[in-house]
């Protein structure tokens, strides 16, 4: 048996085309152009690449895109002042501070300073709380993107046993919550879980968000399961790979996301979706 490939590039492209159309309509009808501001502090190369990509894709769908580059020695106070200025800027609907930040800056303080109405990453505690109780909010982009992959592939979630490996605030925890809200029965696993495979083998939907290259093998997966690989790791040859050993798991799974080309492209796509939703709310 061969698993159905969940193509995040193609699905992400379709969603971006939908976003571009909605942006054009919004501009035409209200004169409001969605604006995304990204703050990059320091000179981490990986972060710089992510930010360039976000800028490029936002522009491509017709949004205003602003990147604010600040030196590594920026003080916490200077960064908070910059966030406050963007909070007040009516042309900006989404603010994102690229993480990680230099060690002398308190990430939580920065996230708390972003106005929840502009927190398109969905990291502010107000938005996390709203997600927990099912109110309209900005959903954390990676789990939101995974829910879109499942929906657009017509993969049913209700009544399924979803096992999420990982409990980070940005991926694992919100992932489980969104699956729960869509009526899955959810099990969380993490580094202290005993006999991990005894859980993963029960999963109808298995989400791996750990950060260990190829840790999930064929024997850890139930025949026909939907396998979602969030991991972004380097293998022994320096090649990008996921948490799932794709070659061994693909013949067992019912459907599977590749790395690259699965979950990754959806994260930026949903950031654009959140920015669009923010602009729509602001223009009401
Ligand atoms: P974190 O390091 O914050 O969390 C990793 C989680 O994995 C923790 O909950 C940890 O458990 C758990 N874990 C660690 N080791 C094991 C183990 N041996 N068995 C079971 N669970 C384990 O990472 P993130 O959630 O931020 O990211 C996870 C992965 O996803 C990374 O590879 C990251 O690069 C990638 N990622 C990809 C994105 C995309 O767009 N494709 C977006 C964001 C992340 P504990 O809590 O006990 O420490």
């Amino acid at each position: 048996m061969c698993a159905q490939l969940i193509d995040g590039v193609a699905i992400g492209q379709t969603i971006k085309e939908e976003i571009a159309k909605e942006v054009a309509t919004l501009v035409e009808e209200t004169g409001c152009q969605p604006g995304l501001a990204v703050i990059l502090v320091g000179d981490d190369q990986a972060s710089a690449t992510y930010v360039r990509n976000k800028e490029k894709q936002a522009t491509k769908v017709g949004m205003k895109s602003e990147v604010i580059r600040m030196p590594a020695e920026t003080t916490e106070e200077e960064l908070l002042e910059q966030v406050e200025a963007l909070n007040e800027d009516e042309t900006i609907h989404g603010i994102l501070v690229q993480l990680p930040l230099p060690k002398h800056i308190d990430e939580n303080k920065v996230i708390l300073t972003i106005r929840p109405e502009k927190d398109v990453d969905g990291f502010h505690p107000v938005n996390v709380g709203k997600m927990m109780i099912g109110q309209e909010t900005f959903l954390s982009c990676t789990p939101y993107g995974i829910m879109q992959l499942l929906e657009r592939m017509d993969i049913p979630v209700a009544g399924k046993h979803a096992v999420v490996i990982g409990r980070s605030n940005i991926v694992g925890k919100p992932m489980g919550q969104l699956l729960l809200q869509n009526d899955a029965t959810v099990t969380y696993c993490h580094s202290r879980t005993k006999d991990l495979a005894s859980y993963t083998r029960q999963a109808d939907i298995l989400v791996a968000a750990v950060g260990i290259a190829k840790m999930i093998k064929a024997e850890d997966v139930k025949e026909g399961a939907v396998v979602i690989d969030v991991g972004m790791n380097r293998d022994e040859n320096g090649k990008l790979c996921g948490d799932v050993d794709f070659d061994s798991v693909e013949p067992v799974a019912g459907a599977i996301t590749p790395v690259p080309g699965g979950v990754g492209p959806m994260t930026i796509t949903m950031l654009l979706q959140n920015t669009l939703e923010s602009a729509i709310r602001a223009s009401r």
Side-chain angles (χ1 to χ4, degrees):
M1 196 177 88
C2 249
Q4 196 180 14
L5 197 72
I6 304 176
D7 184 347
V9 175
I11 295 174
Q13 187 54 36
T14 304
I15 298 176
K16 277 183 278 192
E17 283 162 17
E18 292 166 10
I19 293 172
K21 276 191 200 139
E22 284 200 60
V23 169
T25 308
L26 189 69
V27 172
E28 200 182 302
E29 289 178 357
T30 69
C32 170
Q33 182 188 27
L36 173 68
V38 181
I39 305 178
L40 175 64
V41 185
D43 36 34
D44 179 74
Q45 280 315 302
S47 293
T49 308
Y50 291 141
V51 168
R52 264 198 307 278
N53 204 4
K54 285 167 186 171
E55 183 182 21
K56 199 172 98 193
Q57 301 219 26
T59 309
K60 235 175 160 176
V61 297
M63 293 182 181
K64 170 184 158 168
S65 173
E66 196 176 319
V67 177
I68 295 133
R69 293 183 172 83
M70 304 179 83
E73 52 283 1
T74 301
T75 64
E76 186 177 279
E77 200 185 346
E78 285 166 338
L79 177 56
L80 296 181
E81 273 171 22
Q82 180 59 69
V83 172
E84 294 282 14
L86 293 169
N87 279 341
E88 297 305 323
D89 185 340
E90 286 184 4
T91 68
I92 295 298
H93 305 93
I95 304 170
L96 183 155
V97 179
Q98 186 66 43
L99 302 178
L101 287 167
K103 296 227 170 348
H104 63 277
I105 299 178
D106 180 350
E107 276 181 13
N108 287 329
K109 227 177 187 174
V110 176
I111 290 169
L112 272 176
T113 306
I114 299 173
R115 200 177 278 169
E117 296 79 15
K118 296 191 178 189
D119 164 44
V120 285
D121 252 342
F123 291 170
H124 193 290
V126 165
N127 288 329
V128 176
K130 283 185 171 179
M131 179 206 61
M132 282 284 291
I133 57 175
Q135 286 185 1
E136 186 184 73
T137 184
F138 298 118
L139 300 176
S140 186
C141 299
T142 301
Y144 188 13
I146 292 169
M147 294 312 294
Q148 282 293 314
L149 288 178
L150 296 172
E151 194 180 314
R152 288 174 186 250
M153 292 294 292
D154 286 324
I155 294 171
V157 171
K160 302 292 178 190
H161 183 191
V163 175
V164 179
I165 322 173
R167 54 173 168 177
S168 71
N169 289 336
I170 62 166
V171 188
K173 276 188 202 145
M175 185 72 253
Q177 284 301 317
L178 294 182
L179 288 161
L180 181 66
Q181 267 165 30
N182 284 273
D183 300 322
T185 301
V186 178
T187 301
Y188 282 102
C189 298
H190 45 78
S191 69
R192 309 293 294 273
T193 300
K194 292 200 168 71
D195 193 6
L196 182 67
S198 69
Y199 297 96
T200 60
R201 277 199 296 263
Q202 292 179 43
D204 301 310
I205 299 172
L206 179 63
V207 181
V210 180
I212 300 179
K214 303 182 186 179
M215 72 176 278
I216 301 296
K217 309 280 184 199
E219 59 270 25
D220 303 319
V221 176
K222 183 165 90 173
E223 181 101 30
V226 175
V227 179
I228 306 290
D229 190 354
V230 187
M232 284 199 304
N233 317 297
R234 296 276 163 194
D235 69 8
E236 57 284 2
N237 304 315
K239 221 176 119 206
L240 189 66
C241 72
D243 292 343
V244 176
D245 183 3
F246 186 91
D247 292 341
S248 109
V249 171
E250 194 263 349
V252 180
I256 188 167
T257 59
V259 176
V263 174
M266 295 301 290
T267 300
I268 295 187
T269 304
M270 302 329 288
L271 175 72
L272 301 176
Q273 178 71 37
N274 280 345
T275 306
L276 169 65
E277 284 169 20
S278 176
I280 292 172
R281 282 177 213 158
S283 67
R284 269 183 203 145

